[in-house]
């Protein structure tokens, strides 16, 4: 039997989701912030890492306030096609327009010629002149020196520009990498194999973070390592003070083939989380102390959690020489199923109560099928949303026994898939559903599903 909620117990809040799910997290965090609910540990995976990192230093308002992450126009560009593919899309559109010119000319001529011919048959000289002019124009256009000559040249030119764009994209990508690593794959595949960029999400997260750290000062943003050190210092110095919470961020190490946790927690839980029994301890390979050697990797952990698995370039992280990995550079990204690992880590740091926030709606009942998405981003979003729902169910089913109370905040219906960053069309209500509306849904669900029934009930019993 699950005990009733008690503010005296150590409580963990876990945010899980991808892309647009962060707007739902923002609404929930706003509601919890308003009611002053005590949170001891905040954890995140995927886009939830952004909310967790900000909420740990009492800065989650940067998510929902005017001009914040989810109320700005830049929210629609958190994830998008990498710039070479956007340029190629424009070139393909131009190519299609060029190829459509002859057909368009014929359609226009075919529509006007009967009118001109009819006017000529009525004895009007203008009609006969127009018909004769159309015939001459079509003859010149499709003559040996007309369309058959310049259309192939234009097509060849556009194709050459496309190849140049791909080559330039590979060069720029290789120069932008802060850390280099050998690869057996062709250089072009580093671009083609990861067509979506998470740069917008990473810039929004680090920009919001730096806005909190610098306060009202006009300072230039530091590099990622310096930003991580400043964040770790601020949180370490203020743990235990109102508004500051212990932090857990989970990502997946593709090279080590294991999930990794980056944490900053207070004693005595820090020893339990980062204990090392032997030199080859799996715990040392997976747990990274943001208050210790890994304090420079806060931004790396955040960026890795924001990397979509399989369609984005992984975050290359170079570990310190004194860590378990001895200076190796590993590829890190998100993994939807790592929600279970995040819940495990919350239990490992002594959480007695767990609140899980996910934008994945309840699994559908019969006769609730939706049209299949035809676009690539939409299909990727469908897979991510389905995986999130399964990961949530597995985590609650297998791990809730480790807590005295487990509470889930999730929508009953959510038409916005993870990569629908500009909103989506809701077939059930036959209208558009915006990101801001999703944020309001999270705010309302927090009150309906947790604050009013759970806190109200516990208050009466207390």
């Amino acid at each position: 039997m699950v005990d009733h909620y008690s503010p005296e117990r150590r409580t963990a809040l876990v945010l899980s989701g991808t892309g647009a799910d962060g707007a739902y997290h923002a609404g929930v965090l706003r509601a919890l912030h308003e009611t002053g609910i005590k949170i001891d540990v905040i954890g995140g995976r995927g886009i939830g890492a952004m909310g967790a990192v900000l909420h740990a230093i009492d800065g989650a308002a940067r998510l929902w306030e005017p001009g914040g992450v989810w109320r700005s126009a830049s929210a629609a560009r958190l994830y998008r096609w990498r710039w070479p593919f956007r340029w190629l899309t424009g070139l393909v559109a131009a190519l299609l327009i060029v190829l459509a010119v002859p057909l368009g000319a014929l359609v226009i001529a075919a529509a006007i010629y009967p009118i001109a011919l009819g006017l000529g048959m009525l004895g009007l000289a203008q009609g006969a002149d127009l018909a004769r002019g159309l015939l001459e124009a079509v003859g010149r256009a499709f003559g040996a020196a007309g369309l058959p000559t310049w259309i192939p040249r234009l097509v060849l030119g556009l194709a050459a520009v496309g190849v140049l764009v791909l080559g330039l994209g590979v060069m720029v990508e290789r120069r932008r990498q802060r850390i280099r690593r050998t690869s057996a794959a062709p250089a072009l595949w580093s671009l083609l194999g990861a067509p979506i960029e998470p740069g917008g999400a990473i810039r929004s997260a680090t920009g919001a973070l730096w806005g909190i750290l610098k306060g009202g000062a006009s300072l230039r943003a530091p590099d990622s390592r310096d930003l991580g050190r400043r964040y770790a210092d601020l949180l370490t110095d203020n743990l235990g003070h109102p508004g500051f919470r212990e932090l857990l961020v989970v990502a997946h190490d593709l090279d080590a083939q294991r999930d990794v946790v980056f944490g900053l927690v207070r004693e005595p839980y820090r020893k339990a989380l980062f204990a090392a029994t032997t030199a080859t301890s799996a715990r040392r390979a997976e747990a990274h102390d943001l208050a210790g050697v890994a304090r420079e990797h806060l931004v790396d952990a955040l960026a890795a959690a924001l990397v979509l698995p399989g369609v984005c370039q992984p975050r290359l992280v170079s570990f310190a020489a004194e860590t378990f990995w001895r200076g190796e550079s590993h590829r890190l990204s998100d993994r939807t199923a790592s929600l279970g690992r995040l819940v495990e880590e919350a239990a490992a740091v002594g959480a007695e109560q767990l609140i899980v926030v996910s934008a994945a709606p309840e699994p559908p009942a019969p006769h609730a099928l939706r049209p299949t998405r035809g676009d690539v981003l939409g299909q990727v979003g469908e897979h991510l949303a389905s995986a999130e729902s399964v990961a949530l169910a597995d985590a609650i089913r297998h791990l809730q026994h480790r807590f005295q109370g487990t509470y889930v905040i999730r929508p009953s219906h959510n038409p916005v898939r993870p990569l629908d960053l500009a909103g989506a069309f809701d077939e059930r209500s036959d209208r558009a559903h915006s990101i801001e509306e999703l944020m309001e849904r999270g705010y309302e669900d927090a009150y309906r599903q947790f604050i009013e029934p759970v806190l109200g009930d516990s208050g009466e019993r207390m």
Side-chain angles (χ1 to χ4, degrees):
M1 180 177 179
V2 178
D3 291 340
H4 287 273
Y5 175 88
S6 171
E8 301 300 322
R9 297 193 184 114
R10 186 167 164 81
T11 305
L13 173 65
V14 169
L15 309 175
S16 178
T18 305
D21 296 346
Y24 187 82
H25 299 163
V28 174
L29 290 174
R30 177 186 162 204
L32 299 181
H33 175 77
E34 285 182 356
T35 51
I37 293 175
K38 182 181 74 72
I39 301 296
D40 300 284
V41 184
I42 177 78
R45 63 140 292 271
I47 198 71
M50 182 193 297
V53 167
L54 295 175
H55 197 54
I57 57 173
D58 200 26
R62 297 271 176 171
L63 298 173
W64 67 75
E65 65 186 4
V69 173
W70 295 107
R71 292 194 185 276
S72 66
S74 61
R77 300 188 296 273
L78 295 184
Y79 293 95
R80 57 178 181 169
W81 294 101
R82 295 169 78 171
W83 68 267
F85 295 100
R86 298 198 300 271
W87 285 26
L88 287 176
T89 301
L91 290 174
V92 170
L95 180 60
L96 292 177
I97 292 174
V98 169
L99 294 177
V101 167
L103 180 61
L106 286 176
V107 170
I108 294 174
I112 298 178
Y113 183 76
I115 299 176
L117 185 61
L119 293 175
M121 295 176 63
L122 293 175
L124 297 176
Q126 294 85 352
D129 293 341
L130 180 59
R132 187 165 48 254
L134 283 174
L135 290 175
E136 292 176 355
V138 171
R140 286 193 301 269
F142 288 90
L147 293 177
T149 300
W150 64 265
I151 282 187
R153 294 176 180 174
L154 192 53
V155 169
L156 184 60
L158 291 174
V161 173
V163 172
L164 181 62
V165 166
L166 285 177
L168 184 61
V170 172
M171 293 176 58
V172 171
E173 177 61 29
R174 294 180 71 86
R175 289 183 60 86
R176 286 174 56 184
Q177 289 183 357
R178 180 172 54 87
I179 305 170
R180 297 295 180 88
R181 211 177 105 165
T182 58
S183 174
L188 183 60
W189 191 248
S190 65
L191 187 67
L192 298 179
I196 299 174
E197 62 173 1
I202 296 173
R203 286 189 296 272
S204 293
T206 54
L209 183 58
W210 176 237
I212 298 171
L213 295 180
K214 73 182 180 66
S218 299
L219 299 175
R220 182 179 179 181
D223 61 28
S224 62
R225 291 183 179 275
D226 188 21
L227 183 60
R229 286 193 295 266
R230 296 187 189 207
Y231 179 93
D233 291 341
L234 174 66
L235 187 53
T236 301
D237 294 341
N238 290 278
L239 274 182
H241 294 177
F244 291 85
R245 302 158 184 92
E246 298 162 55
L247 174 67
L248 296 172
V249 174
V250 170
H252 183 69
D253 190 332
L254 294 171
D255 293 297
Q257 299 180 13
R258 59 181 83 207
D259 290 332
V260 290
V261 55
F262 295 84
L264 202 161
V265 298
R266 62 181 178 85
E267 300 291 357
Y269 308 105
R270 182 185 178 196
K271 291 182 179 178
L273 186 63
F274 303 110
T277 56
T278 66
T280 59
S281 169
R283 193 66 186 167
R284 288 188 61 201
E286 297 173 355
H288 302 277
D289 187 3
L290 292 174
V293 178
R295 62 198 298 265
E296 296 181 344
H297 292 315
L298 182 278
V299 174
D300 288 326
L302 176 58
L306 296 174
V307 170
L308 303 182
V311 293
C312 290
Q313 193 75 20
R315 178 78 172 192
L316 202 55
V317 179
S318 182
F319 294 106
E322 59 268 32
T323 63
F324 177 85
W325 294 111
R326 306 299 183 190
E328 291 182 359
S329 296
H330 287 201
R331 298 167 299 154
L332 272 61
S333 72
D334 181 35
R335 186 177 76 95
T336 307
S338 61
L339 169 60
R341 176 61 183 273
L342 185 57
V343 173
E344 285 185 6
E345 299 298 343
V349 296
E352 302 168 282
Q353 298 176 143
L354 176 70
I355 306 170
V356 182
V357 180
S358 173
E362 297 285 348
H367 311 297
L369 295 177
R370 295 179 60 182
T372 302
R373 295 289 292 269
D375 59 302
V376 176
L377 292 180
Q379 291 184 7
V380 173
E382 283 183 332
H383 285 284
L384 291 171
S386 179
E388 169 72 14
S389 183
V390 174
L392 177 60
D394 288 345
I396 299 302
R397 182 185 304 115
H398 298 301
L399 297 170
Q400 65 177 347
H401 68 279
R402 302 187 62 175
F403 303 91
Q404 296 184 39
T406 303
Y407 311 95
V408 179
I409 301 175
R410 68 188 302 187
S412 58
H413 171 62
N414 179 16
V416 181
R417 298 293 170 83
L419 297 183
D420 293 333
L421 294 165
F425 183 79
D426 184 10
E427 293 86 1
R428 292 191 185 183
S429 57
D430 194 30
R431 65 177 181 84
H433 194 106
S434 68
I435 290 294
E436 290 198 9
E437 186 174 353
L438 178 61
M439 185 162 52
E440 293 302 320
R441 178 69 58 83
Y443 179 82
E444 296 168 1
D445 286 346
Y447 272 96
R448 284 198 298 258
Q449 299 176 21
F450 180 73
I451 295 172
E452 294 173 355
V454 176
L455 294 189
D457 184 56
S458 66
E460 292 174 358
R461 292 179 180 274
M462 288 172 62

